[in-house]
Amino acid sequence: MKKNLLFLILGTTLFWSNTALAACSSIPIEKKNVVIVGERAVSTALHLNILPTAWVGSKDLWEGASTARAGARFLSCSKGLAGHKKTKVKNALQQYKELPVLLSKASPPCRYKSDITPAAIEQQLNAWGITPVVMDFTQGIDPAVTALGDYFGCPDKAAAELAAYHKLMDKAKAMAPRVKPGLKVAVVSGTLQTATGKSFLRLEAPGGYTDTYILDKLKARNLAHAVITPRDKISKGHLSIRKIDKILAANPDVIVITGDSIAVQTAIARAVAKHPELSDTPALRHQAVFSLPFYSDADPLSYPQILMKWITALGGQA
C-alpha cells in the first residue's frame, strides 16, 4: 500500500507536467518598447505574444511569470514600487523615461497585500512625473484584453484569445456539476530545500484565492476550516505546518498540491510510513492526490484552462 501510494503521487505530478510541456507554443514573442506595471497586463500581453522592456508585478502568483522574467527586465513587485523598494524602482524607471508606462487597474487588489492598490501605485508614478496609460480590468476581461490588443496593434489576436477564453469558460461551467457538492479539499503547497532535504509545507487558509476562484465555484469545501484554529498565524493566505499528519487526520476527500509538489509528496509518504492508519484517509484510499496549478487572478486569460483542470481532478471523486 505504501509503495503504491508513493508511485501514485509521483505519477500524478508527471502527468500534469507532461501536459503543460505539450502545450508549449513555438510562436515567437515580440518585444515592445513599453514598461508595464501590474501582472494582469503583463500576463495578457504575453498571451498576445508580446513582452515589455521592463515590468512590475507579482512574480510568484502565476506560472507565466518565469517567461516574463526571462524575456523582460523585472523591476519589482507592486509592494516594492509603492514601498520599501520605491527608490530603486524610481531610478530604474529613469532609464526608461522615454518609454510609455502601462498600468493594470484591477479589483480587488492582491489579497496578500491589500493596502497596495492600483490607485496608490498610480499616485506614486504621478509623483515621479509619470502619467501611465491605464488598462482597466475592473470592468471585466473583455474590454481590458480588447484595449491591450488595440494598444499593441493586434486586435485580431486579442479577439481570438477572448473567443477561446469564452469557449473554454462555457465548457468549464458545463463540466462543473461533475464535482460533488461539499467535497472536502485540502490545498497544500510546499518548498523543498535541495541542499538540506528539508520540506516546508503550507495549508491554504479559507477565504483565499482558491476558495474564491475554484472551490466556491464548484461548491466544494476547503478542509482548512477543520484544521486552522483562531490561535494560528496566517501569513499570505496560508498556515505554515511542520507535518501533514493533522491534515490527513481531518479526512480530506481530495488533496491538491500546488507549488513544489515533491515536498508534499514526501511528507505524505513519511506520514503514512510512521502512522499506517493514515492510509485510510479518503483522499489516499481513493487515490485522490493531484498536483494542480494555483490560480490568483494574475493571469485572467488562463483561468478557464486552470478551472477545467481542477474540475477534471475533483470531478472524478464520488
Side-chain angles (χ1 to χ4, degrees), residues 173-247:
K173 290 175 182 178
M175 291 171 58
R178 298 181 186 178
V179 179
K180 178 184 176 182
L183 198 71
K184 296 183 296 183
V185 183
V187 183
V188 188
S189 67
T191 302
L192 176 68
Q193 284 188 343
T194 53
T196 63
K198 292 182 179 180
S199 296
F200 298 90
L201 308 179
R202 300 190 307 158
L203 175 68
E204 187 169 351
Y209 284 114
T210 299
D211 278 18
T212 300
Y213 293 105
I214 307 290
L215 299 183
D216 289 352
K217 303 291 185 186
L218 303 180
K219 299 180 181 179
R221 293 167 53 198
N222 187 338
L223 187 79
H225 283 287
V227 177
I228 295 176
T229 70
R231 298 176 59 185
D232 288 324
K233 182 179 179 181
I234 305 301
S235 175
K236 294 183 178 180
H238 291 77
L239 171 69
S240 295
I241 54 177
R242 294 182 59 251
K243 298 180 180 180
I244 205 166
D245 304 47
K246 190 175 181 179
I247 295 172

Side-chain angles (χ1 to χ4, degrees), residues 108-124:
C110 177
R111 291 174 181 269
Y112 303 154
K113 303 166 187 174
S114 58
D115 56 322
I116 307 300
T117 64
I121 294 173
E122 185 172 10
Q123 184 178 11
Q124 183 64 78

Side-chain angles (χ1 to χ4, degrees), residues 248-264:
L248 297 178
N251 290 319
D253 296 312
V254 180
I255 297 172
V256 170
I257 304 171
T258 62
D260 192 349
S261 58
I262 189 65
V264 182

Side-chain angles (χ1 to χ4, degrees), residues 119-142:
I121 294 173
E122 185 172 10
Q123 184 178 11
Q124 183 64 78
L125 293 172
N126 291 161
W128 294 338
I130 298 171
T131 302
V133 178
V134 176
M135 294 295 165
D136 191 355
F137 283 81
T138 65
Q139 303 304 310
I141 191 171
D142 290 77

